[in-house]
């Protein structure tokens, strides 16, 4: 059955693929229809779904899954084509039939493909347009790294199927332009070129600009523009004039043809056309003209397969295929400029069902396994079967590197030193990979880079013999340097963090970024964690403590971002040993692969360049002992100073994270002089503290019982007293602690944009100096 193509792949008879394509179109359409018309959600909220966006890709996705992909290939599917993906997975036997009426239902098929929540095997989550397009590119970067370090994996092609309007997203071009993504011959982007976005027909003819942009970035570009009918017409004498006319026609005019028929269509088509075009189409019957001029290559499976084959043949650079398609292809809403969220009526769905020879009893059936199409689906099912992948890395990450600092030291410096130390650990070192968007040296990765080198696909000559920074670039390097794109940083971290699945090799990925610019890559950060990726990222330096750098470089809302992002553990230690424990623990958790079982994927360290005296921590260590202190540090908070007190002394807790601990300690001493017992609590992970509190509360809410008091809060706040929170971040981030402890809270923090100055000057401006903390303590006591 079928024939062998140039590239050795067997392609079935075109009729077989046509039949599968028709069934995929039906199922995708009906999946959306059922979600909207068969279910009563009872809430009056529209369910939605995208029949037109799905129909646009039915041909291309049929071609991919039923005639092109191998088991090792990985594909990102355009968010709004998820019904097509699920229809295909269902036909292949990878999705139970009960899910088909469950698009957008709880526990059912997600609206957009989701790695973590969909019941069938999604390779890349998509939803925020542009990110799904770039993700496979960074998965290919990751594969290139894995192949170089751990031996070549079976070849995968990394494919992104994207909507044409996704090319408006800047992150797409940041990804294409980065030198780290060049030369990846196993990447193919398939653009669903339907010339429509959500609101409108995309103005003008943009293909020329896009082609040039891709080519300038070194990509191989293929256009699949015409179907077989148009190609035949062009080949006739005078056919070039028809081609020239269609090529030059603005999108708006071309799209307007879809709603027309007969003479009206002819008129619209010929508006502003040269006379020779009119002459050329004169003998074409009205009924044939529409199907001819709207016959696009993106629905010609043979043309698509030929294009995919051309991409396979180009092995030294990524490829992009522009498949000219019709949004709503094969449906009554085809090409309508307002079809993005349009739904077929029940009558239209009934007609479609009848047209396919299906009934309400058979409408969800798979293809008859005895039919040619059914047999072919069975062949593909076997060809695409994948082995199980293990997220766990079978190594022991040490509990600490044992870093000791006699002098004041910053957390950023400690971070660099811990990584250097881990790079000497025989078990851990091979799996460590760092990355940064042009800030590796200014975030203290230089030591690690000096030890491990910078990754390059081939050995590159070094033109500098700088002893402080040896920028040796080779396939053995373990740092992947990016251009200044925080989007790319988080996209790469997201893919390094999924390498256990997409490249059959777990890695310990560590990224660094200037903390304020976490926000610049935030959507990609979210994307990675939503996808279940595991990695460590350090936002450093952070806050107004970065004093002279001024307001544009100071971060104030990142702490709450870290606190609130699901799947991310936010940590902000102040002392060297605490950071050492937390970082080793985070890497240990990443190695464990817990996220696959619902644990945390990413660890976000908010660090600082301010040197901090380590003596107070040493004293706490003496008092509490290593085991207890480490447990508390990992749990999120510990008592750094336990105030001496006499009976009757007022008591207050001074609570803080990170760089401001010295001011808190100074305030503690001043308060002691005034006869106020101030305990100091160092919050190492506000996130873990919050979650511990929430866990107990939610338990109470769900079981209608009195919530217990979280152990970590009890240990850090052994007595009931008002609190002052101090944070080099928005004051709001810690303010909830008052509620958690059931006491008055005066939250100090940075609630305005900063400016340049010295640390003391800026702390004064934002009420973070010891005097303000003392006043805040008095205020808190007065409220108690
Ligand atoms: C970042 C982001 N912004 C906006 C949206 C809302 N949105 C969803 S689809 C879409 C238009 C997509 O057009 P295109 O990529 O051409 O897809 P088509 O439906 O035409 O296939 C928009 C604006 C989104 N999903 N993500
Ligand atoms: Mg589009």
């Amino acid at each position: 059955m079928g024939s062998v193509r140039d590239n050795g792949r067997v392609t079935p008879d075109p009729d077989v693929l046509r039949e599968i394509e028709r069934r995929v179109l039906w199922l995708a359409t009906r999946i959306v229809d059922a979600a909207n018309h068969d279910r009563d959600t009872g809430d009056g909220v529209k369910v939605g779904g995208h029949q037109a966006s799905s129909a646009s890709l039915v041909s291309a996705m049929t071609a991919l899954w039923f005639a092109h992909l191998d088991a090792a290939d990985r594909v990102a599917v355009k968010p709004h084509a998820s019904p097509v993906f699920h229809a295909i997975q269902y036909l292949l036997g990878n999705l139970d039939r009960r899910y088909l009426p469950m698009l957008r239902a709880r526990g059912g098929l997600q609206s957009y493909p989701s790695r973590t929540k969909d019941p069938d095997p999604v390779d890349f989550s998509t939803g925020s347009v542009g990110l799904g397009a770039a993700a496979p590119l960074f998965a290919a970067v990751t594969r290139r790294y894995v192949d170089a370090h751990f031996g070549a994996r079976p070849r995968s092609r990394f494919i992104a199927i994207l909507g044409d309007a996704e090319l408006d997203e800047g992150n797409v071009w940041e990804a294409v332009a980065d030198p780290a993504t060049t030369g990846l011959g196993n990447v193919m982007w398939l653009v669903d070129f339907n010339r429509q976005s959500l609101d409108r027909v995309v103005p003008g003819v943009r293909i020329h600009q896009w082609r040039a942009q891709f080519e300038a970035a070194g990509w191989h570009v293929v256009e699949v523009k015409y179907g077989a009918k148009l190609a035949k017409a062009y080949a006739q004498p005078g056919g070039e004039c028809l081609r020239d006319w269609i090529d030059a026609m603005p999108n708006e005019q071309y799209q307007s043809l879809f709603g027309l028929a007969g003479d009206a269509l002819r008129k619209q088509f010929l508006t502003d056309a040269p006379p020779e075009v009119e002459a050329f189409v004169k003998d074409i019957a009205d009924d044939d003209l529409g199907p001819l001029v709207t016959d696009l290559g993106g629905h010609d499976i043979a043309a698509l397969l030929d294009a995919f084959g051309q991409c396979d043949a180009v092995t030294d650079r990524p490829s992009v295929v522009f498949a000219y398609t019709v949004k709503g292809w094969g449906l009554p809403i085809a090409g309508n400029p307002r079809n993005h969220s349009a739904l077929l009526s029940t009558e239209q769905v009934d007609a479609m069902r009848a047209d396919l020879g299906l009934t309400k009893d058979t409408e969800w059936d798979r293809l008859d396994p005895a039919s040619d199409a059914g047999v072919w689906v069975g062949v593909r099912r076997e060809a695409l079967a994948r082995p199980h992948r293990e997220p766990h890395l079978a190594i022991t990450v040490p509990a600490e590197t044992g870093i000791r600092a006699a002098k004041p030291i910053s957390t950023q410096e400690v971070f660099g030193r811990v990584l250097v130390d881990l790079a000497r650990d025989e078990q851990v070192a091979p799996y460590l990979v760092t990355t940064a968007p042009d800030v590796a040296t200014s975030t203290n990765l230089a030591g690690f880079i000096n030890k491990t080198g910078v990754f390059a696909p081939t050995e590159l000559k070094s033109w500098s013999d700088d002893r402080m920074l040896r920028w040796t670039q080779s396939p053995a390097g373990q740092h992947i340097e990016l251009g200044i794109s925080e989007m790319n940083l988080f996209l790469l971290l997201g893919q390094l963090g999924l390498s256990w699945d997409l490249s059959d090799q777990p890695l310990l990925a560590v990224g660094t970024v200037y903390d304020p610019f976490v926000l610049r890559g935030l959507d990609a950060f979210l994307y990675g964690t939503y996808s279940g990726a595991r990695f460590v990222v350090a936002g450093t330096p952070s806050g107004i403590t970065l004093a002279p750098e001024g307001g544009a470089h100071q971060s104030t809302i990142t702490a709450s971002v870290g606190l609130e992002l699901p799947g991310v553990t936010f940590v902000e230690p102040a002392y060297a040993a605490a950071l050492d424990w937390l970082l080793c623990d985070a890497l240990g958790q990443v190695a464990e692969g817990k996220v696959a079982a619902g644990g945390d994927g990413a660890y976000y360290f908010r660090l600082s360049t301010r040197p901090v005296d380590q003596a107070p921590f040493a004293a706490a260590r003496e008092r509490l002992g290593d085991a207890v202190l480490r447990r508390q540090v990992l749990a999120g908070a510990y008592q750094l100073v336990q105030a001496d007190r006499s009976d009757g002394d007022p008591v207050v807790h001074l609570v803080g994270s990170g760089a401001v601990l010295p001011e808190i300690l100074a305030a503690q001493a001043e308060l002691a002089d005034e006869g106020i017992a101030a305990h100091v609590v160092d919050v190492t992970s506000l996130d873990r503290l919050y979650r511990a509190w929430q866990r107990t509360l939610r338990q109470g809410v769900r079981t209608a019982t009195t919530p217990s008091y979280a152990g970590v809060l009890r240990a850090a706040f052994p007595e009931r007293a008002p609190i002052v929170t101090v944070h080099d971040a928005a004051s709001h981030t810690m303010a909830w602690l008052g509620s958690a402890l059931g006491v008055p809270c005066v939250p100090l923090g940075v609630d305005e944009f900063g400016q340049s100055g010295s640390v003391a000057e800026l702390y004064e401006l934002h009420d973070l100096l010891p005097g303000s903390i003392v006043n805040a303590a008095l205020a808190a006591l007065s409220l108690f």
Side-chain angles (χ1 to χ4, degrees), residues 653-679:
H653 296 291
L654 305 181
V655 190
S657 273
V660 291
L661 260 298
E663 278 63 31
I664 299 177
L665 290 167
Q668 196 275 336
E670 280 185 38
L671 286 164
D673 288 345
E674 296 185 25
I676 296 170
H679 304 304

Side-chain angles (χ1 to χ4, degrees), residues 63-126:
L64 279 174
W65 268 271
F66 294 98
H68 184 71
L69 295 177
D70 293 327
D73 296 338
R74 299 299 195 144
V75 188
V77 175
K78 181 185 83 167
H80 302 75
S82 78
V84 182
F85 175 77
H86 295 307
I88 289 173
Q89 292 305 322
Y90 168 68
L91 290 179
L92 287 169
N94 298 329
L95 181 70
D96 196 87
R97 176 180 177 140
R98 75 188 169 89
Y99 286 105
L100 298 181
M102 287 179 71
L103 179 72
R104 300 183 166 218
R106 179 174 171 173
L109 302 174
Q110 299 302 300
S111 45
Y112 309 117
S114 165
R115 278 184 60 87
T116 51
K117 298 192 191 70
D118 268 321
D120 43 2
V122 169
D123 293 334
F124 298 92
S125 298
T126 59

Side-chain angles (χ1 to χ4, degrees), residues 281-511:
V281 300
K282 192 159 60 67
D283 296 334
I284 300 173
D286 276 355
D287 283 353
D288 294 335
L289 186 60
L292 173 67
V293 299
T294 58
D295 174 41
L296 296 180
H299 301 290
D300 183 325
I301 291 184
L304 287 163
L305 291 174
D306 180 60
F308 301 160
Q310 290 175 42
C311 298
D312 277 344
V314 174
T315 56
D316 60 349
R317 59 209 152 110
S319 291
V320 54
V321 175
F322 284 92
Y324 285 65
T325 53
V326 178
K327 191 159 173 170
W329 177 79
L331 303 179
I333 51 177
N336 185 318
R338 301 288 306 142
N339 68 7
H340 185 77
S341 325
L343 294 174
L344 263 59
S345 67
T346 301
E347 295 69 42
Q348 288 170 327
V349 171
D350 288 346
M352 195 175 170
R353 182 190 298 111
D355 212 38
L356 268 120
L358 294 171
T359 66
K360 288 225 168 174
D361 287 336
T362 59
E363 63 176 353
W364 295 119
D365 285 0
R366 293 196 170 91
L367 290 158
D368 175 2
S371 67
D372 282 356
V375 169
W376 181 251
V377 167
V379 170
R380 292 302 295 166
R381 176 188 164 87
E382 271 179 38
L384 294 172
R386 284 179 183 163
H388 170 74
R389 294 277 159 80
E390 193 42 63
H392 180 66
L393 198 50
I395 57 164
T396 307
V397 178
E400 60 178 13
T401 65
I403 185 164
R404 286 279 189 268
K407 288 193 301 217
I409 189 168
S410 71
T411 45
Q412 179 176 301
E413 188 175 344
V414 172
F415 172 79
R417 281 168 55 174
V418 170
L419 282 181
V420 169
D421 227 71
L422 290 173
R424 291 194 196 100
D425 184 303
E426 276 181 18
Q427 276 197 60
V428 177
Y431 305 103
L432 282 173
V433 50
T434 61
T435 179
D438 199 31
V439 293
T441 50
S442 49
T443 57
N444 277 62
L445 284 182
F448 181 84
I449 291 172
N450 279 342
K451 273 197 84 59
T452 62
V454 175
F455 177 72
T458 55
E459 203 89 30
L460 297 178
K461 181 176 165 48
S462 173
W463 296 94
S464 151
D465 53 4
D466 182 347
R467 313 261 309 284
M468 296 301 287
L469 179 66
R470 289 188 294 278
W471 199 264
T472 315
Q473 300 183 74
S474 80
Q478 286 180 240
H479 170 78
I480 302 177
E481 180 74 357
L482 296 166
I484 320 169
S485 163
E486 289 72 21
M487 270 284 177
N488 285 349
L489 171 78
F490 282 106
L491 279 165
L492 178 57
L493 281 173
Q495 294 309 312
L496 290 168
L498 291 174
S499 61
W500 65 270
D501 178 28
L502 299 177
S503 284
D504 196 16
Q505 176 59 59
L507 294 171
L508 302 175
V510 179

